[in-house]
Every structure is written in C-alpha cells, then in structure tokens.
Amino acid sequence: RTLVNHLKALVKEEGFEYREIAFLFEAMTHVHFYEQELRRAEIPYFVVSNRGFYSQLEVRDVVNFLFALENPKRDIPLAATLRSGLFQLSDETLFWLARRAKREAKETPLVEGLSEFESIPEMGEAEKEKLRFFSRTFHEFLGEREKLRVAELVEKILRVTNFDLYVLKLRQGERRWANLRKLVEIAREM
C-alpha cells in the first residue's frame, strides 16, 4: 500500500505516467500481493513473466480452443471453449447439449451433441445462434488447423471471434489484450 501511495504521488505531483513505471522482482513469489493493491487502487498494470502466464483466463480460453481443435472428442477443453468469452454459452445450454450427447451412453463425447442442438427445445434462440456461430467457426478451423501455423491459427481465432475486443472491455483489459499478443508471439517463436 505504501508503494501504491508513492506511485500515486509520483503521477499526481511529479508528472510521471503509470506506463513509465516498472517494478523489477528477483522472484515472482509474492507478486499477487502487489497486483491486488494495484487493482484496488485502479492503477493500470501488466505482469511480464512466463510463470503464471498460461493460467490467465484469456490465455486459457484460447489454449482450450486449440486443445479442442486438436481433439474435438475431449469434453473438458470443448466445454471450456463453449463457456469461455470466445463463444459465451450459458451453463444451461451446456447442460442441454451434454444431456443430448450423452443420453444413450455417458462416454459419448460432447461434440456429438453439436450436430443435434437445433432440435433441443429447451435452448433459446440466442443460445442456438451462438452454437451456430461456434459450429461454423469450429468446422472452419478444423479444416485449416493443419494448413496454418499455430501463430496464424491463434491470430485468426482472435479475429474471427473478436475475442481481443472482448477482453479489452473487461477489467484490466489492456493487460489481458497484451497477454493475447504475447501468446501470439510465443506461438510465432515456436
């Protein structure tokens, strides 16, 4: 808190801008305490570190989509993708989709329910429209996943779903957007 108060004074009294200030840590062990205080004070920030990077929500959402494309029969990455900010399906819709897919056998993959969602009367039209968009997008990416480099695939996911714009609207949106750009750069380096 003392450090946050000092930062505010530097900006208010000495004319610095937050973007001109950086913290350098020997270890990332207690960074979350600093983040908590910066958030509380509504000071914009982002963390540059590989540690914890893949646990950031926006990064996990894109990575789950990549996992779902790699193997559509894996329920967890597919459900996480559908529920994420990429496609924003409700829990209720996921329930009805899973119920339809697994009505005859519990081991049937969730992806099997995607071909039948139009006939699920419990789903509203808005949710069905999200599923139509997902189905079109998912099949398009399935067809291109072997043709595109991972970085190109990630960039296209962001562009087609407008996910980068979605995260910019969230709290700490610029930091989240920077994480997505970093993900693209990491994919490009691979």
Side-chain angles (χ1 to χ4, degrees):
R1 286 187 187 132
T2 302
L3 189 54
V4 165
N5 290 333
H6 183 67
L7 286 176
K8 286 181 175 180
L10 285 172
V11 170
K12 186 176 181 182
E13 298 165 12
E14 297 189 33
F16 283 93
E17 294 182 36
Y18 289 123
R19 63 184 174 91
E20 297 176 305
I21 301 168
F23 297 147
L24 301 176
F25 295 96
E26 189 173 323
M28 300 298 285
T29 311
H30 301 291
V31 168
H32 62 281
F33 292 120
Y34 293 88
E35 289 184 279
Q36 179 181 348
E37 290 303 318
L38 291 167
R39 272 194 304 272
R40 187 175 291 147
E42 297 183 0
I43 294 175
Y45 74 92
F46 67 95
V47 176
V48 178
S49 166
N50 284 336
R51 188 170 169 205
F53 173 73
Y54 291 102
S55 66
Q56 299 298 311
L57 183 61
E58 61 279 3
V59 174
R60 276 195 336 250
D61 288 347
V62 174
V63 170
N64 276 325
F65 192 26
L66 293 172
F67 279 134
L69 287 170
E70 185 257 327
N71 183 355
K73 293 185 178 190
R74 292 176 61 200
D75 284 355
I76 300 299
L78 181 60
T81 299
L82 290 168
R83 187 71 181 89
S84 74
L86 289 159
F87 299 100
Q88 304 174 38
L89 265 72
S90 70
D91 290 336
E92 187 176 317
T93 298
L94 277 177
F95 169 79
W96 292 114
L97 194 61
R99 187 168 181 190
R100 177 59 60 103
K102 297 174 183 300
R103 69 183 179 270
E104 292 177 22
K106 291 185 192 284
E107 59 277 350
T108 303
L110 180 62
V111 73
E112 299 295 325
L114 288 173
S115 61
E116 301 180 35
F117 75 86
E118 292 285 0
S119 64
I120 301 174
E122 293 86 359
M123 281 187 202
E125 186 56 34
E127 292 293 295
K128 285 184 179 181
E129 187 54 42
K130 290 176 188 178
L131 279 168
R132 287 181 200 113
F133 174 66
F134 171 78
S135 292
R136 284 190 310 270
T137 305
F138 193 65
H139 287 94
E140 177 184 335
F141 282 118
L142 282 174
E144 294 181 339
R145 67 183 174 186
E146 301 298 325
K147 300 173 191 167
L148 299 175
R149 293 187 171 125
V150 176
E152 294 169 328
L153 191 58
V154 171
E155 286 181 319
K156 189 167 183 177
I157 288 168
L158 299 178
R159 188 175 58 253
V160 169
T161 63
N162 289 318
F163 190 57
D164 50 354
L165 299 177
Y166 169 82
V167 300
L168 277 169
K169 293 181 204 173
L170 299 175
R171 193 163 155 252
Q172 297 289 322
E174 289 182 24
R175 179 183 59 80
R176 293 174 187 274
W177 181 85
N179 284 339
L180 293 174
R181 298 311 324 150
K182 181 178 176 182
L183 181 62
V184 170
E185 290 308 312
I186 289 170
R188 189 169 284 123
E189 289 173 11
M190 297 173 118

